[in-house]
Amino acid sequence: NQEYKVLVTVNPIPVTPDDATPTPDTPIDPNNPTGPKWTPELIKELEDGRKEEVKRTINYIYSDGTPVPADKLTDVADKKEKTLTFKRSATINPVTGKITFGNWTPDKQSFEEVTSPKIDGYIVDRATVPAKEVTETAGDITEVVVYKKLGSYVPVVPEGVTVPPGTDTTAKVYPKNPNDPTKPGTPTTVIPHIPGVTPLNPSTGKPLEPVTPGRPEDGYKVPPVPTDPTQDTNIVYAKDGSQVAIVH
């Protein structure tokens, strides 16, 4: 008598991340057309498991919640929305339909750092949206960047005072900082001279310093930007020789 053992093995069917999505009711093993078929459930399991996307969206808004117009965001137009794609291969047992997934390639990826655009007349709460390393399980990410309108130096001229022609008493927005969009810059605004009245420092009640010592007609230096740069600074003119009480 002779005894033989025959070992029968199952050859798993490899599926790469970029292979076409299987069609329902087609053979799992192309070489075995009468074997088990792809089912919708099996196809969904494969598609859900071999590719994962993580999306980061950066929303740029004003402090009142309205979106910043696209023409202000041309520097980041292609960075506001980014998607990282993670992929992995799989094998499927053509007899049992069991899917086995490999490792993600790569297992980590990073979103790049995005510098917040500078917008005249506004400061921003974040100079950059930092780079962020994520894995396939991170889920979608939403970042919000908020712009706040800068305040202004506002000359306040008493009623009855005649402003000479050509004297600019309109409000002047605080300057932007060329290096840090989260802070205002150093003010260079000059408060105009108006005969018969003198502009006062709103913090001390004392007259502002002339730009040129002894020549008030050249205008006056403005006080520093307030701690909250979104607030206006009213520069009140007082009639020469009058007493003024500054109320805080």
Side-chain angles (χ1 to χ4, degrees):
N1 295 329
Q2 296 182 354
E3 181 178 325
Y4 295 88
K5 290 183 179 180
V6 179
L7 180 63
V8 179
T9 60
V10 176
N11 291 325
I13 305 300
V15 182
T16 72
D18 297 320
D19 285 345
T21 301
T23 303
D25 297 325
T26 58
I28 293 176
D29 184 358
N31 297 319
N32 183 17
T34 61
K37 305 292 193 296
W38 285 103
T39 64
E41 294 75 17
L42 203 56
I43 294 172
K44 184 177 187 307
E45 180 184 352
L46 176 67
E47 292 303 284
D48 290 347
R50 67 173 173 167
K51 187 179 295 185
E52 193 67 58
E53 292 184 340
V54 178
K55 181 180 180 180
R56 184 177 75 173
T57 302
I58 305 176
N59 293 325
Y60 295 90
I61 63 173
Y62 291 121
S63 55
D64 63 359
T66 58
V68 176
D71 62 347
K72 304 289 187 184
L73 304 173
T74 54
D75 292 343
V76 294
D78 59 343
K79 302 175 183 178
K80 292 189 298 179
E81 292 186 358
K82 282 290 186 180
T83 299
L84 301 179
T85 301
F86 296 83
K87 298 180 179 181
R88 60 181 176 177
S89 297
T91 57
I92 181 167
N93 186 311
V95 176
T96 64
K98 179 178 174 57
I99 298 176
T100 302
F101 292 101
N103 295 325
W104 294 101
T105 306
D107 59 346
K108 292 181 180 179
Q109 295 190 55
S110 295
F111 290 104
E112 65 178 318
E113 179 182 76
V114 180
T115 301
S116 300
K118 296 179 177 66
I119 301 179
D120 288 343
Y122 289 84
I123 56 172
V124 65
D125 66 340
R126 308 167 68 179
T128 64
V129 174
K132 188 176 183 64
E133 187 177 71
V134 297
T135 65
E136 77 285 347
T137 61
D140 290 344
I141 300 168
T142 299
E143 303 278 5
V144 179
V145 178
V146 181
Y147 287 84
K148 298 180 180 180
K149 188 174 181 61
L150 283 168
S152 302
Y153 291 108
V154 183
V156 181
V157 182
E159 292 184 11
V161 173
T162 301
V163 178
T167 301
D168 184 6
T169 58
T170 59
K172 300 295 188 299
V173 178
Y174 304 140
K176 64 179 180 180
N177 189 315
N179 301 316
D180 186 351
T182 67
K183 300 176 182 179
T186 302
T188 57
T189 301
V190 175
I191 299 300
H193 172 67
I194 300 175
V197 291
T198 301
L200 306 179
N201 187 313
S203 298
T204 65
K206 297 180 180 180
L208 293 177
E209 295 182 18
V211 173
T212 306
R215 287 182 55 84
E217 58 270 24
D218 292 342
Y220 301 84
K221 299 178 182 178
V222 294
V225 174
T227 304
D228 181 357
T230 65
Q231 300 298 311
D232 290 340
T233 300
N234 290 333
I235 305 296
V236 178
Y237 284 81
K239 292 183 178 180
D240 294 343
S242 66
Q243 294 181 339
V244 177
I246 301 297
V247 179
H248 297 281

